[in-house]
Amino acid sequence: MSIDRHLKPLMRQIAAQDEIEIAHPGDPETAAALVYVAECYGFRYAGLSLVGKHKALYVRLTRDPDPAARQRAAANVAAFPDPGKDRPVPGMYLGSLQPVPETQPQVDLLLTLIRYDMTLATANRRQLLTMAWGSAAMFLLLAPLTGKYLVLLPLAVLVPLFLLGALRLNAAKRAKLAARLTAAGWIPVRDAEGVERFVRPAA
């Protein structure tokens, strides 16, 4: 599939907006490459959302007010005025979203950040705990009403265990990703809702 499908709408937004969104990038790897490209043109990563039943990925970016970012954007606009298929793309192999060796570590860190935020978006601790204990209570109430003890009593145990296990696995994955970001110098901060996010260190 042509990368123009991703780059054309991205470049239109970059030219006209201070807040942009990368919708349906296909996978986190492509999203990370697109975020890198957008940051070359003066934007910075601002978060993501997983929308709908199938958890479609939407990545948000905002224009970076830092003078160095504006200078970087001007240089890349001059050097890469029309990135796309068969044309140069900043930090990528010609006409692709495959990072060159020099930029691969930076794209990998963006990928780690995206995956970290995806674990936050997919595992709401309070919601999963409510579902776990709520399902247990529901099955325990239904058992005497229906007389299906052999079916409902095991479910009262197994469903909460499954949900709590998923929560624990997600937390372990998030901790591993957080460790990578911390080792690279990224800084954990709390947003307005008290959720831990990571920001890159000042240049």
Side-chain angles (χ1 to χ4, degrees):
M1 184 177 293
S2 172
I3 68 168
D4 286 340
R5 173 179 175 271
H6 296 299
L7 284 177
K8 282 186 176 180
L10 176 63
M11 297 307 296
R12 282 196 297 267
Q13 291 186 82
I14 286 173
Q17 301 169 206
D18 291 331
E19 305 284 338
I20 67 175
E21 184 176 70
I22 301 170
H24 302 288
D27 53 64
E29 290 80 4
T30 300
L34 290 169
V35 169
Y36 178 88
V37 171
E39 291 192 344
C40 287
Y41 291 96
F43 282 75
R44 63 184 178 189
Y45 175 84
L48 59 79
S49 301
L50 297 176
V51 180
K53 179 180 178 181
H54 299 292
K55 303 296 183 183
L57 176 60
Y58 289 78
V59 179
R60 301 183 302 278
L61 299 103
T62 184
R63 195 174 295 277
D64 193 337
D66 187 85
R70 292 199 296 268
Q71 186 177 13
R72 180 175 67 249
N76 281 303
V77 167
F80 306 96
D82 185 28
K85 184 180 180 182
D86 301 323
R87 301 184 299 278
V89 181
M92 308 289 156
Y93 285 105
L94 179 67
S96 79
L97 289 173
Q98 176 62 44
V100 298
E102 293 78 9
T103 61
Q104 185 71 62
Q106 299 170 62
V107 177
D108 286 345
L109 280 173
L110 289 170
L111 176 59
T112 299
L113 179 62
I114 288 170
R115 285 178 169 160
Y116 176 86
D117 283 352
M118 287 177 71
T119 66
L120 293 175
T122 55
N124 183 312
R125 178 178 174 82
R126 182 178 300 175
Q127 183 182 43
L128 281 177
L129 288 174
T130 299
M131 291 172 59
W133 305 128
S135 63
M138 180 186 69
F139 291 128
L140 289 174
L141 287 173
L142 286 175
L145 292 175
T146 62
K148 297 182 179 179
Y149 292 96
L150 292 178
V151 174
L152 295 174
L153 291 181
L155 287 176
V157 175
L158 294 175
V159 172
L161 284 177
F162 173 80
L163 292 171
L164 294 173
L167 185 62
R168 186 170 182 176
L169 286 173
N170 191 280
K173 180 180 179 181
R174 186 164 62 251
K176 185 176 180 180
L177 294 168
R180 292 180 192 170
L181 293 168
T182 301
W186 289 54
I187 303 166
V189 298
R190 295 281 176 181
D191 64 15
E193 298 178 355
V195 178
E196 186 174 75
R197 306 286 183 181
F198 277 87
V199 296
R200 62 167 52 85

